[in-house]
Amino acid sequence: MTADVMAQSTDADKSPTTGSPAAATPDESTGTDNYTGAGKPLAASEIRGMRERIDEIDQAIIDLWLERSRLSREVGKTRMASGGTRLVLAREREIVERFRTALGPDGTQVALLLLRSGRGPL
Ligand SMILES: C=C(O[C@@H]1C=C(C(=O)O)C=C[C@H]1O)C(=O)O
C-alpha cells in the first residue's frame, strides 16, 4: 500500500469519542466521502458494509496464520527432539505447489512467507 493511499484515511475521519469512522464525511469541494473514497452516499454505505466483512476475513486470516505458525514450530521441536531434521523440504515443496496451483505466482510468495513464519528464515 502506498503512503498516498494510507493518507486518504486519517484520524480526522474518525469519531473522537468512539474512534470509529464518523458518518459519511463528504469532502466540501468534491463531495467524495473521505473514509470510503465513494462519490455518493449510497455507495459509501455499501462500501462500509463490505468493509466490515473484509475486516472479519482479515482477522480470521491473522488468527489462522498465527495458529499455523505455532503448530509448525511445534512440529519442528518434536522432530528435532526425536533426533530428526529441522526441515522437510519435500513437504515444503508440496505446500508451495498447493498455493501456486490455487493462487498463481502470488501463491508461491504467500507460501514462502507462511513457511518462513513457522520455521524462521533459511
Ligand atoms: C511443520 C513441519 O516442519 C517444517 C515446516 C513446514 C510447514 O510450516 O508447513 C513444513 C515442512 C517442514 O520443513 C512439517 O514437517 O510438517
Side-chain angles (χ1 to χ4, degrees):
M1 191 179 303
T2 66
D4 209 31
V5 169
M6 294 293 290
Q8 289 177 13
S9 171
T10 68
D11 284 348
D13 299 326
K14 296 181 180 153
S15 154
T17 46
T18 65
S20 303
T25 50
D27 181 271
E28 279 179 26
S29 56
T30 64
T32 301
D33 173 54
N34 283 326
Y35 186 63
T36 61
K40 296 209 171 99
L42 196 58
S45 157
E46 254 180 70
I47 289 168
R48 280 164 195 262
M50 290 187 278
R51 280 186 180 177
E52 271 182 34
R53 183 64 190 136
I54 286 174
D55 288 345
E56 285 173 5
I57 291 169
D58 286 352
Q59 192 56 54
I61 292 171
I62 290 166
D63 292 344
L64 287 171
W65 186 287
L66 293 173
E67 182 185 353
R68 190 196 190 287
S69 186
R70 274 192 298 271
L71 265 175
S72 175
R73 259 176 268 144
E74 204 54 42
V75 170
K77 271 190 212 158
T78 303
R79 189 165 44 234
M80 286 173 77
S82 77
T85 57
R86 186 166 83 92
L87 305 176
V88 177
L89 294 180
R91 167 79 174 156
E92 296 202 3
R93 273 196 291 275
E94 208 178 278
I95 290 165
V96 171
E97 184 54 20
R98 181 187 305 149
F99 275 77
R100 195 194 62 75
T101 301
L103 306 173
D106 286 350
T108 302
Q109 300 306 312
V110 171
L112 293 174
L113 288 172
L114 208 47
L115 290 168
R116 193 176 69 176
S117 117
R119 48 102 166 107
L122 289 174

